[in-house]
Amino acid sequence: MTRHLWAPWRIEYILAEEDGGCFFCDYWADPAGDEKNLVLVRGERCFAVLNRYPYNGGHLMIAPEAHVRRLADLDEGALCEMMRLTRLAEKVLSAELAPQGFNVGFNIGRPAGAGVEEHLHLHVVPRWEGDTNFMPVLDDTRVVPVALGKLWRQMAPRFAEEAAG
Ligand SMILES: [Zn+2]
């Protein structure tokens, strides 16, 4: 029997926009739309946003302002800020959702599963024991927008608090 590593970001293709636009760039350029766009927190040059098609509650992404494909195209400052926001996400998600673990990772390039391969981003997926069993529930997309809005309202203030402190 073949056993597969559970890779939550494989579903990423769903996020790819069909009109050729880049939603990371659109979100960055529209601070007034942060609630609508589910942007949780902004740094100087990077931000965190809830994934609209989460594999788990609290699945978020961290992206730089820069529209680049590879880590090699990011400068030190942006790289460091991505990791600082990842640490912040770990902290806030731990406090708010009490996961038992996290998957944190990049898909770089199409064969690696990147859906939005033109704009580098990092996935943070909270994990709980046995959570793979409930993944098919996410097929029911009707409940997702409500849950995501609620999650955003719960988490965004905590991100702001922690980022300031
Ligand atoms: Zn972009």
Side-chain angles (χ1 to χ4, degrees):
M1 188 181 126
T2 309
R3 290 181 62 88
H4 295 278
L5 179 68
W6 189 68
W9 30 81
R10 294 296 301 194
I11 200 169
E12 197 180 339
Y13 65 90
I14 294 177
L15 280 168
E17 291 196 351
E18 285 168 12
D19 62 6
C22 173
F23 72 88
F24 289 115
C25 286
D26 292 346
Y27 288 4
W28 178 263
D30 178 28
D34 280 356
E35 178 165 8
K36 166 174 62 83
N37 296 330
L38 303 172
V39 171
L40 290 162
V41 68
R42 289 170 176 267
E44 283 175 34
R45 299 166 59 199
C46 300
F47 67 106
V49 57
L50 283 172
N51 192 322
R52 283 186 189 279
Y53 303 96
Y55 249 92
N56 242 355
H59 179 178
L60 57 82
M61 298 174 294
I62 300 185
E65 170 188 17
H67 184 86
V68 298
R69 290 169 174 257
R70 302 175 307 164
L71 289 166
D73 298 325
L74 274 190
D75 63 45
E76 294 283 321
L79 274 173
C80 286
E81 191 171 48
M82 282 192 86
M83 287 318 293
R84 279 198 299 273
L85 286 182
T86 304
R87 180 176 62 185
L88 187 65
E90 179 196 67
K91 198 170 177 182
V92 171
L93 288 167
S94 294
E96 294 298 315
L97 303 176
Q100 295 159 312
F102 292 93
N103 288 105
V104 175
F106 290 98
N107 295 329
I108 299 175
R110 185 73 62 184
V116 186
E117 62 179 331
E118 297 81 14
H119 197 132
L120 187 76
H121 55 282
L122 179 152
H123 291 263
V124 178
V125 184
R127 299 298 310 276
W128 291 266
E129 292 290 341
D131 59 14
T132 50
N133 297 331
F134 98 94
M135 288 305 119
V137 166
L138 294 169
D139 288 339
D140 187 357
T141 53
R142 287 167 300 172
V143 304
V144 167
V146 176
L148 286 173
K150 193 178 164 199
L151 194 59
W152 185 90
R153 287 189 295 277
Q154 175 187 351
M155 305 235 298
R158 287 300 296 264
F159 270 97
E161 242 170 63
E162 292 287 347

